[in-house]
Amino acid sequence: IVKIDGVNWTCHLIRTHFISVDDNFEALVKKYVLPLTKNNDIVVLCQKIVSIIQRRVIYKKDIKVGFWAKFLSKFVKKTPYGFSVGNPLKMQIAIDLAGLPRIFWAGFCGIVCKLFGVSGVFYKVAGYQISEIDGFYGEAYPQYADIGILGPEGCDLLCDNLKNKFGFSFAVADVNDLGGNILGI
């Protein structure tokens, strides 16, 4: 139970099967969510699940890791929570999405800001949902070892469509060990 502005909210985690690109939102809501929800509930969808269902997946076999991705990934701070763009595969995706000049600029800005104790600037400058690149890490789930997962698209529209269909509120959140962001409501 979480108390926010004097209101108690009960959080329930909903266990599902392992979500794949063959799943769809409506079937998942009907099977797993509807039996547990009431009219005033807010259903928060995991960003990773939304991305997978939207087929925002890149397969390891389809990525050609270049010199700059290998080189630049060596300078990324490794955290206990994962490798972010410290993984050459993820760095290559970042370069492909944002372009090499922007990644260089983001790296430069990140280094300068770290000197002043400010973290996270690389991702803000890089843009293009670079901070949301996930996957290529099979430690917790072997299924993620060979796939990269991009950030979801159209989260507000998705939430509106699901609310219109099922009658209660939806949100999409990217929550991890470093914090959380609401990507759509």
Side-chain angles (χ1 to χ4, degrees):
I1 297 178
V2 178
K3 192 172 195 167
I4 301 172
D5 295 332
V7 178
N8 287 332
W9 294 88
T10 304
C11 300
H12 298 279
L13 299 177
I14 299 175
R15 181 177 288 264
T16 67
H17 63 278
F18 196 87
I19 305 301
S20 76
V21 295
D22 297 323
D23 285 303
N24 71 69
F25 296 111
E26 290 184 13
L28 290 173
V29 171
K30 286 177 185 176
K31 182 175 182 177
Y32 296 109
V33 177
L34 286 182
L36 303 173
T37 54
K38 297 179 223 144
N39 288 342
N40 294 330
D41 286 348
I42 301 169
V43 177
V44 180
L45 303 171
C46 166
Q47 165 259 342
K48 189 179 296 185
I49 287 173
V50 172
S51 293
I52 290 170
I53 294 172
Q54 289 180 339
R55 298 179 183 268
R56 306 256 314 136
V57 174
I58 298 174
Y59 297 92
K60 189 180 204 176
K61 66 179 178 57
D62 297 329
I63 299 172
K64 183 175 179 350
V65 178
F67 168 80
W68 287 112
K70 293 175 190 171
F71 179 74
L72 294 173
S73 64
K74 294 177 187 177
F75 299 99
V76 176
K77 178 182 176 185
K78 309 287 193 270
T79 70
Y81 312 112
F83 290 103
S84 66
V85 291
N87 176 323
L89 292 160
K90 291 181 185 179
M91 180 62 81
Q92 186 62 55
I93 293 171
I95 291 168
D96 293 346
L97 291 172
L100 187 57
R102 188 173 188 128
I103 295 299
F104 279 144
W105 178 243
F108 174 77
C109 292
I111 290 168
V112 170
C113 289
K114 282 228 195 257
L115 296 173
F116 296 99
V118 179
S119 296
V121 172
F122 171 87
Y123 293 102
K124 289 178 182 148
V125 174
Y128 296 92
Q129 295 183 315
I130 302 303
S131 65
E132 295 174 26
I133 298 170
D134 209 345
F136 300 122
Y137 186 71
E139 299 281 322
Y141 298 99
Q143 297 91 327
Y144 292 142
D146 293 325
I147 64 169
I149 305 164
L150 303 175
E153 293 180 326
C155 294
D156 288 332
L157 180 61
L158 170 67
C159 291
D160 285 344
N161 290 342
L162 290 173
K163 182 177 182 175
N164 291 336
K165 173 95 177 158
F166 295 106
F168 43 85
S169 297
F170 285 82
V172 177
D174 179 8
V175 179
N176 56 42
D177 296 324
L178 300 174
N181 295 308
I182 299 297
L183 304 177
I185 53 172

